[in-house]
Each structure stands twice: as C-alpha cells, then as structure tokens.
C-alpha cells in the first residue's frame, strides 16, 4: 500500500489551549487546576510552565486571542463585501460560525472576563469595544433609519442584543452527547435561523428608529 502522510499533530501549545478552554468552559476557571490541564494533554502540571507562565496566563491567552480573532475577522469581512448589506451579512455569518463551531471559546468569552488580571481585562475590553464599533458602523450603513444621529443608541442596543442572541447558543445546546449529536445534525439549520433572527432584530430596530 502507498505511504499516506500522517496528519501533523497539534502543536503542544495549541493542545494546551484547546484542553484549557474545554475544562474552563465545563467547570469554570476557578474549578480547574494546572495538573488537570497537564493530564489532559499528557504532560505533568509543571511541564505546562514551559509554554505558559501559569493558569492566569492561559486564560489571558485564550480571551485576548478570541477578542483579537473576532476583531480581525470582523474587519476582513466588513471590508470584503459589496456594500453595507453584504458586509453586515458577512459579519453575522462570521459570528454565527464562531458561536456554533467554538462553543468552549465563546463560553469563556461570555463568562470568564472577571477572572483576568486587570491589565489583561483592559486589553480584552478595548478589543471588544473595537468589535462593537465595527458592527455599529456597518449596521447604521445597512439600515438608513439607524444612520440618523438620534438613532445611534438604538443601533448600538440592537448590536448588543444580537450578540446576546448568538452568544447564548452554546448554553442552550447543552453538554450531553445526545444534544451534541442533535446539534451536529442541525448545524446548518441553526446557522440559518440565527442569521434570520439577527437580520430581523436589526430590521425591527430600524423600524423603531423610523417611527421616532
């Protein structure tokens, strides 16, 4: 039989990221020890310190990395469309994909910010603000009633509401294997539903703004 190249193993640092995210999402940052993360990747707890300074550094790496990724991908999507409507559709699609495909990370993004050190928390907040402002700008271009100066708070509230809607998906799916199987079967349908609900929320916000 011909030799088939083996799939490259995930780099050790990425293995640690993945298992730390999984454990933090399942049991909370404070409920997980360094030794447990090490066991999950097959190395001793102290061996993790060759890759991360400690558990706090792992959480900061995950949350700052998530925020950077969302902002960078958001900018790419917003700048690649043919007009504001297409840019907004791309933004929604990117965030929906993130929520459905990276459940552990979005759970951390939603829940563990207060466990970061102050400096790291400020960094995450700054990146998050940039992401929100990107969405607000695109939404106001896509829906003219929201472009009025008086409608800016409505547009901003709608963006946060849509984030809450999409970000709640990992919690509503639940952790059981049966639900995981069901979610996998319905992934495309769930994505389409979230997409429609997001557009519906922005359309309702625009209607409210138009009515004054």
């Amino acid at each position: 039989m011909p030799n088939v190249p083996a799939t490259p193993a995930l780099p050790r640092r990425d293995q640690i990221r993945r298992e730390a995210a999984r454990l933090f999402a399942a049991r909370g940052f404070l409920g997980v020890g360094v030794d447990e993360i090490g066991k999950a990747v097959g190395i001793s707890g102290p061996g993790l310190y060759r890759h991360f300074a400690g558990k706090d550094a792992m959480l900061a790496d995950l949350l700052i990395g998530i925020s950077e990724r969302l902002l960078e991908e958001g900018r790419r999507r917003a700048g690649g469309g043919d007009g504001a409507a297409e840019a907004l559709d791309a933004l929604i699609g990117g965030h929906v994909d993130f929520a459905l495909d990276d459940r552990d990370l979005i759970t951390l993004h939603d829940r563990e910010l207060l466990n970061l050190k102050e400096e790291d928390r400020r960094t995450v907040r700054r990146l998050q603000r940039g992401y929100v402002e990107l969405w607000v700008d695109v939404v106001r271009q896509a829906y003219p009633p929201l472009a009025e100066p008086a409608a800016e708070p409505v547009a901003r509230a709608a963006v946060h509401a849509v984030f809450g809607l999409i970000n709640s998906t990992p919690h509503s799916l639940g952790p059981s294997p049966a639900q995981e199987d069901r979610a996998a079967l319905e992934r495309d349908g769930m994505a389409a539903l979230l997409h429609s609900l997001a557009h519906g929320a922005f359309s309702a916000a625009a209607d409210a703004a138009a009515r004054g």
Side-chain angles (χ1 to χ4, degrees):
M1 293 181 65
N3 291 328
V4 178
T7 301
L10 195 66
R12 180 68 79 185
R13 186 177 175 89
D14 289 335
Q15 291 177 27
I16 295 169
R17 286 191 180 105
R18 181 185 62 191
E19 293 304 318
R22 180 181 66 82
L23 290 167
F24 292 160
R27 291 168 39 205
F29 173 74
L30 299 178
V32 177
V34 171
D35 288 343
E36 294 173 84
I37 299 170
K39 182 178 179 180
V41 296
I43 60 177
S44 65
L48 291 178
Y49 294 115
R50 292 196 297 271
H51 304 278
F52 292 96
K55 197 173 72 164
D56 288 344
M58 293 179 207
L59 183 64
D61 179 87
L62 288 167
L63 288 180
I64 292 173
I66 295 163
S67 300
E68 289 175 339
R69 170 181 158 190
L70 283 171
L71 181 56
E72 290 170 6
E73 179 66 9
R75 286 171 173 164
R76 186 188 69 79
R77 287 174 175 265
D82 184 16
E86 188 172 320
L88 178 58
D89 199 62
L91 281 175
I92 293 170
H95 202 93
V96 167
D97 287 344
F98 175 53
L100 294 179
D101 298 337
D102 292 289
R103 292 174 57 188
D104 291 340
L105 292 179
I106 207 163
T107 297
L108 294 184
H109 187 267
D110 186 44
R111 193 180 65 192
E112 297 291 352
L113 186 62
L114 291 178
N115 285 313
L116 285 178
K117 294 180 178 179
E118 179 61 30
E119 181 180 356
D120 293 327
R121 188 160 57 244
R122 285 198 299 269
T123 298
V124 171
R125 288 296 193 197
R126 174 178 54 78
L127 293 165
Q128 289 177 337
R129 285 194 299 272
Y131 189 58
V132 169
E133 294 306 319
L134 174 67
W135 274 69
V136 170
D137 183 58
V138 173
V139 166
R140 297 183 75 195
Q141 293 179 52
Y143 289 91
L146 295 174
E148 296 296 324
E152 191 271 345
V154 178
R156 188 173 300 279
V159 167
H160 283 289
V162 167
F163 285 169
L165 167 71
I166 298 173
N167 290 356
S168 69
T169 303
H171 306 292
S172 63
L173 288 176
S176 72
Q179 287 176 312
E180 292 282 3
D181 291 341
R182 183 189 67 189
L185 291 173
E186 298 179 355
R187 195 267 182 212
D188 289 346
M190 177 65 79
L193 175 60
L194 290 171
H195 222 98
S196 296
L197 290 171
H199 278 297
F202 291 132
S203 180
D207 288 346
R211 291 194 301 268

